[in-house]
Amino acid sequence: MPIEGFDYKGFAASMAEQAKELVPQDLQDFEKEYIVKTLGNFTLLAGEALYNDTSLELTPEQAVFITQVIAEWSFHKSVDLVHSGILPQYWDSIMQKIAFTIFEVAKQAMIRKIPQEQLLQAVEHHVLKVYKQAIEELEQKGVINEDIKNRAESQSNIDAMAQQAQAEQQRRQQEMIEESTRNAEKAQKTREEKKAQEKAEKERAAALATMPQGISHKQMKLMSLALLLKVLSQDKVTTILNKFDSNDSLVISQYMNMADLESHLDGDLVAECLSDMKKSLPIKKKLTQENVLADLLHLYKTNPREKIEKVLKNERPLVKRFISQAYDGEFGNLPLRVAGIVAEYIEESV
């Protein structure tokens, strides 16, 4: 009775389809077709023989195993033949010897109930032996020379695919290692950033704890400004302090003389205070006649005329005339840039 459940036709077709995906892409179309066709034919013939041989009493699994071994070796050795340099008209005879050898060795191993691992070793031994003998026969007949013989015998697609699979596995392992390393570094960086943030928060809390109690926001701003002025030249410090109320200037100067001023301030708070002060600073206007006149008129409204004239006492007549005309809302003959400098000078002097 045939082996029930063993669809050798479907299995052979499946093996041939898989072979199409594995055929080396460097081959010509007729060579690819030969490999796929040879595998399909030998697989189909072997499967049919096993299916109809009731004396073997094989299970469907055993029949599939033997047929698959024939399919795989048919594929590898047909690829080797194509790469060997042997003319195509001699391929079939060599492949027939190989397929028959596989079939007989595998069948006998099944009958003797030899373990599959030993069966595969025996098949490989006999396949390589028959392949080598067939090539040597061609040399003896003068069909091929020694160079082609050596080239043919050196072919091993099964080893090439094993090496390729190993290389692919190593590549994937390397990618996994690199990804794991990146994840570990990222996690470490996250931990370090969190640790640094926690440390900064503790230091800020400690700095706040050591600050004088009841300090106002204005005092904090003056202390922050004093810290900034400590790194400027004396001329710049004087110019800036002159713009403050005398009491505030005195307080700032006292803070600047504090040896441990930094210890009473938190860097984040200083940054916040300086940012607030920057927002409150006047934005420098574009230098135009209208803006210069507007600035001068504002000075005239907020300062006595005698005070302004006192500042201009020693100035040239041209400058004095420009200021006099500005009182009447007229822009004199001074160049715009010079007029802007004069306006800034008066503003800083009154």
Side-chain angles (χ1 to χ4, degrees):
M1 180 179 179
I3 304 173
E4 187 177 353
F6 176 44
D7 179 13
Y8 65 89
K9 293 181 181 179
F11 185 74
S14 175
M15 289 289 99
E17 284 298 318
Q18 293 180 43
K20 292 179 182 180
E21 303 297 326
L22 298 175
V23 173
Q25 296 304 307
D26 62 323
L27 301 181
Q28 298 182 46
D29 288 342
F30 83 92
E31 294 171 332
K32 295 178 182 179
E33 291 174 4
Y34 175 81
I35 294 170
V36 174
K37 183 178 178 181
T38 299
L39 178 147
N41 288 340
F42 287 164
T43 305
L44 181 64
L45 291 173
E48 185 179 11
L50 293 173
Y51 181 80
N52 293 321
D53 191 344
T54 57
S55 64
L56 294 175
E57 297 182 351
L58 297 177
T59 65
E61 291 76 18
Q62 290 173 323
V64 167
F65 176 74
I66 295 175
T67 309
Q68 184 170 353
V69 171
I70 292 174
E72 290 177 356
W73 276 108
S74 297
F75 176 82
H76 292 306
K77 298 320 289 182
S78 59
V79 172
D80 290 345
L81 278 175
V82 171
H83 282 143
S84 69
I86 297 174
L87 294 176
Q89 57 261 40
Y90 301 105
W91 293 350
D92 280 345
S93 62
I94 297 175
M95 289 305 303
Q96 288 169 3
K97 293 176 182 178
I98 291 173
F100 177 78
T101 298
I102 298 171
F103 183 81
E104 289 300 320
V105 171
K107 187 171 68 171
Q108 291 301 318
M110 283 294 182
I111 294 173
R112 298 176 185 177
K113 298 183 179 180
I114 294 175
Q116 286 188 1
E117 185 176 350
Q118 294 181 21
L119 183 154
L120 293 175
Q121 292 175 354
V123 168
E124 181 177 6
H125 171 75
H126 286 285
V127 166
L128 298 179
K129 181 179 178 181
V130 170
Y131 178 73
K132 184 176 180 182
Q133 288 175 346
I135 293 171
E136 289 176 348
E137 287 177 5
L138 291 179
E139 184 191 23
Q140 292 170 3
K141 293 177 181 179
V143 174
I144 60 175
N145 57 30
E146 186 176 1
D147 289 339
I148 295 180
K149 170 200 165 189
N150 293 335
R151 177 180 173 182
E153 290 181 347
S154 66
Q155 299 299 318
S156 181
N157 185 68
I158 190 171
D159 290 338
M161 289 189 66
Q163 291 174 1
Q164 183 179 359
Q166 184 178 11
E168 179 65 18
Q169 183 180 11
Q170 290 176 347
R171 184 186 66 80
R172 291 180 180 178
Q173 289 176 346
Q174 183 63 29
E175 289 180 350
M176 291 176 62
I177 292 173
E178 291 175 356
E179 184 177 1
S180 298
T181 301
R182 287 195 297 269
N183 291 338
E185 291 175 350
K186 185 177 180 181
Q188 179 64 22
K189 184 178 180 181
T190 301
R191 288 194 295 268
E192 290 176 354
E193 290 175 349
K194 184 178 180 181
K195 199 172 182 180
Q197 183 179 0
E198 292 175 350
K199 182 181 179 182
E201 291 176 354
K202 288 181 181 179
E203 290 176 349
R204 182 175 181 180
L208 290 173
T210 58
M211 288 179 59
Q213 297 298 314
I215 187 170
S216 66
H217 187 64
K218 179 180 179 180
Q219 286 176 301
M220 175 59 71
K221 283 188 174 183
L222 296 179
M223 293 173 74
S224 300
L225 183 58
L227 185 63
L228 177 63
L229 294 180
K230 288 178 74 173
V231 300
L232 300 180
S233 65
Q234 186 58 46
D235 291 341
K236 291 184 178 179
V237 170
T238 302
T239 301
I240 294 174
L241 289 180
N242 286 338
K243 296 181 181 292
F244 284 84
D245 176 86
S246 57
N247 292 331
D248 289 342
S249 297
L250 179 60
V251 173
I252 293 173
S253 298
Q254 291 174 344
Y255 285 146
M256 290 177 65
N257 293 325
M258 287 178 59
D260 59 344
L261 176 62
E262 292 85 350
S263 65
H264 294 296
L265 295 173
D266 172 71
D268 291 338
L269 292 178
V270 170
E272 290 176 9
C273 289
L274 293 177
S275 178
D276 290 342
M277 285 188 281
K278 182 179 179 181
K279 292 177 183 177
S280 64
L281 290 175
I283 300 174
K284 188 174 182 180
K285 299 182 219 177
K286 185 177 180 180
L287 185 61
T288 63
Q289 291 185 4
E290 291 76 10
N291 288 337
V292 172
L293 280 176
D295 290 342
L296 288 173
L297 290 173
H298 177 72
L299 287 173
Y300 300 157
K301 290 179 181 179
T302 55
N303 295 277
R305 183 164 182 165
E306 295 78 11
K307 187 176 181 180
I308 295 176
E309 290 178 348
K310 185 177 180 181
V311 172
L312 300 173
K313 181 178 179 181
N314 297 322
E315 290 295 330
R316 291 167 293 174
L318 184 64
V319 174
K320 292 180 180 179
R321 186 165 56 252
F322 173 78
I323 296 300
S324 177
Q325 291 174 321
Y327 268 109
D328 298 327
E330 298 179 6
F331 194 90
N333 295 324
L334 280 182
L336 180 59
R337 182 176 293 278
V338 176
I341 295 174
V342 170
E344 289 183 4
Y345 169 70
I346 296 174
E347 184 181 3
E348 292 176 358
S349 300
V350 296

